[in-house]
Amino acid sequence: MDKMLAKWQPTALSLFRFITGLLLFQYGVAKILKFPTIPEGNAYAFLNKVQLMSLPGVAGALELILGGLLLLGLLTRPVAFILAGEMAFAYFIGHAPRSFFPLINGGTLAILFCFACLYLSTAGGGPYSLDAMMRKK
């Protein structure tokens, strides 16, 4: 079973990078481009009110630009490292002061994105990335 699944590991890495980038990119689109409009009462309705020249606005710009690069697999290692730092910063500035427990302070996604990006900064973008295409040339 190990050998059968191991052959798919490079493809799974590329898919993991793509999905992680896509999910971060969606937060950037919501914060900066205000799309989609999130109804009031929704837990993420605050994304409709983010100002570009604020801390959440800078985070949104990073998520939009770097999330897009991660999605494409371009400069994967440095981009993922910066995004891991952003997510750690978001957790300790925005979530940890509310409670010690991530389930209570709402920081579960920030922790997950932090470690996903930290992994990608060490593993790279996988075979289906612009980085891999540029290495072949």
Side-chain angles (χ1 to χ4, degrees), residues 43-113:
Y44 292 101
F46 72 93
L47 295 176
N48 292 335
K49 299 178 179 97
V50 171
Q51 299 298 313
L52 185 57
M53 292 302 171
S54 67
L55 202 54
V58 172
L62 284 172
E63 292 157 2
L64 182 69
I65 296 164
L66 299 183
L69 289 174
L70 198 61
L71 193 115
L72 298 171
L74 184 60
L75 303 172
T76 301
R77 291 176 195 268
V79 162
F81 187 75
I82 293 166
L83 286 168
E86 181 212 352
M87 292 294 112
F89 186 79
Y91 180 78
F92 286 110
I93 296 298
H95 298 282
R98 295 185 206 155
S99 170
F100 176 77
F101 302 102
L103 190 60
I104 296 170
N105 69 28
T108 302
L109 275 177
I111 293 169
L112 192 57
F113 276 129

Side-chain angles (χ1 to χ4, degrees), residues 7-60:
K7 74 177 181 181
W8 294 103
Q9 188 273 334
T11 303
L13 174 60
S14 290
L15 185 60
F16 181 69
R17 178 210 22 97
F18 180 83
I19 295 300
T20 302
L22 182 63
L23 292 173
L24 285 165
F25 183 74
Q26 81 166 344
Y27 280 99
V29 168
K31 289 176 186 171
I32 304 302
L33 305 177
K34 313 291 188 226
F35 179 81
T37 304
I38 301 166
E40 286 299 322
N42 184 296
Y44 292 101
F46 72 93
L47 295 176
N48 292 335
K49 299 178 179 97
V50 171
Q51 299 298 313
L52 185 57
M53 292 302 171
S54 67
L55 202 54
V58 172

